[in-house]
Amino acid sequence: MSKQFTVWHHEQIGSTNDEARRLAQEGAPHGTVVHADEQTAGRGRLSHTWFSPAGNLYLSILLRTGEPISRAAELSFLAALAVADTVEALLPRQIRAMLKWPNDALVNGAKIAGILLEQVDDATIIGIGLNVLEAPSNVAYKTTTIVANGGIASVDGARDILLDRLGNYLSVWREEGFEPIREQWLNRSYPIGAAIRANAGGQSTAGHFAGLDVDGALLLDTPQGRQRIVAGEVV
Ligand code: BTN
């Protein structure tokens, strides 16, 4: 596993993001990782709960990059690439992971992992949930797992690959900036021009995918012109 990370493992916890937040407030250093076998109060984006039984990966990574907070959103794209690499490393060779803005990982159109980015002062917490063995059935979107796709059922293996890949993407980001990350993310997302619908600010807008802006905002071409969407989700 990458040396830049120190993992604190819990058999059970409320939410690894909450524990990482507590550690951040206590001054825990860059690279502190909270890993739990199960969560009793796992949280997803937009205040959703995150299905968190034993058998999946639940991880929160505390980063103090020293970069301005305005660049923190870029980190979720690094995390999404690391998740996609991890999923592909665990799955049979021909199966690809696809990324959906802002940071879902899908396999054959079904969500296999989610990322929750939170800021605590100058620390960014990247919470990652990856369905290895279990997927919720009571949600409004399709879900899947590593095992359901014929992959390797190793939560610790997933964690180690994920941290290793994230470490590599962090090095690229530090040395070359966001652009190579943005390009790699685009290579694993919908093709430019794909018909998509984005929900943002209580509004749902249909349009054509026009890429990612230099800061990670979604670019959507609509009949009214190009829109820049900073927060929301593609549905
Ligand atoms: C999403 O809604 O897609 C984001 C889900 C993020 C879930 C992970 S599981 C580990 C970490 N702890 C949490 O409570 N949430 C994140």
Side-chain angles (χ1 to χ4, degrees), residues 16-31:
T16 56
N17 261 42
D18 291 347
E19 176 63 2
R21 171 179 291 273
R22 192 187 69 73
L23 292 171
Q25 283 161 345
E26 280 184 355
H30 174 84

Side-chain angles (χ1 to χ4, degrees), residues 175-208:
E175 284 158 28
E176 301 173 45
F178 184 54
E179 191 50 28
I181 303 294
R182 192 179 80 92
E183 278 172 22
Q184 290 189 58
W185 190 95
L186 281 170
N187 286 337
R188 293 172 109 155
S189 190
Y190 351 80
I192 298 292
I196 58 171
R197 175 173 288 279
N199 286 348
Q203 271 201 326
S204 184
T205 312
H208 293 275

